[in-house]
Amino acid sequence: MIAYGSKRGGTAGLADMIGAELIAHGLRVDVRPAARILSVDGYKGVIVAGALYNSRWHRDARRFVNRFRSALQSIPVWLIASGPLDDSANQGTLPPVSQVAKAAAVVGARGSMTFGGRLARDAKGLVASAMAKTRAGDWRNPAQVKAFAAAVADELAQATR
Ligand SMILES: Cc1cc2nc3c(=O)[nH]c(=O)nc-3n(C[C@H](O)[C@H](O)[C@H](O)COP(=O)(O)O)c2cc1C
């Protein structure tokens, strides 16, 4: 399962991109808004994706980890943040923000990763629209998504073998 917390759709789209890659690797995948998920029973692995706002991980992603903490402790979990409106996520591996690092420790995550973000030129909201004047764009990187999904598919295949 890929559970996401997204305010303006960029992280939802990233979750879809990852889901499509995992399906290409032969996995069955559900991509869902984290706030709407009632159970993780039956899933062999979970990816939690959350947008970053003011260095905070989207509330739905944080809540999801807290709600399913004990179930998540016993299956492979990856945490994802999205992300920087520049090339920094493509330059190397960015350290996770503290909320992601904390959540990763709580569930014993297999990995965490920061992907580039997306901000539309016509983004609504006082701060976001001002920000969009200079920083609008899409920094989600399909090659990075591909590599991440391949690594996840590999680890899941090993874990369920
Ligand atoms: C007001 C505002 C604050 C943001 N703060 C951060 C931040 O602290 N760190 C970061 O990497 N990206 C930050 N971003 C960029 C967003 O994380 C990026 O646009 C992301 O793709 C948003 O995801 P969403 O479309 O799923 O809501 C910020 C964007 C806005 C509009």
Side-chain angles (χ1 to χ4, degrees), residues 16-112:
D16 283 334
M17 289 163 73
I18 295 167
E21 278 300 319
L22 290 175
I23 288 168
H25 282 270
L27 294 165
R28 280 187 292 136
V29 186
D30 291 328
V31 182
R32 301 258 160 82
R36 296 224 201 106
I37 293 165
L38 302 177
S39 167
V40 296
D41 289 355
Y43 289 95
K44 300 250 167 24
V46 175
I47 297 172
V48 190
L52 290 177
Y53 284 92
N54 304 318
S55 298
R56 296 172 65 78
W57 204 32
H58 196 286
R59 188 175 71 164
D60 293 351
R62 281 184 279 130
R63 284 196 173 166
F64 178 86
V65 168
N66 286 330
R67 281 194 291 138
F68 298 112
R69 169 194 298 241
S70 61
L72 295 176
Q73 282 166 347
S74 58
I75 53 174
V77 173
W78 289 265
L79 307 182
I80 284 175
S82 165
L85 298 172
D86 56 30
D87 205 30
S88 59
N90 296 323
Q91 304 279 337
T93 311
L94 289 175
V97 298
S98 67
Q99 287 176 335
V100 172
K102 238 178 248 170
V106 165
V107 298
R110 297 277 176 125
S112 62

Side-chain angles (χ1 to χ4, degrees), residues 5-12 51-55 82-85 117-119 127-128 131:
S6 175
K7 189 167 180 180
R8 295 186 169 84
T11 311
L52 290 177
Y53 284 92
N54 304 318
S55 298
S82 165
L85 298 172
R118 182 201 70 171
L119 187 63
V127 183
M131 215 167 175

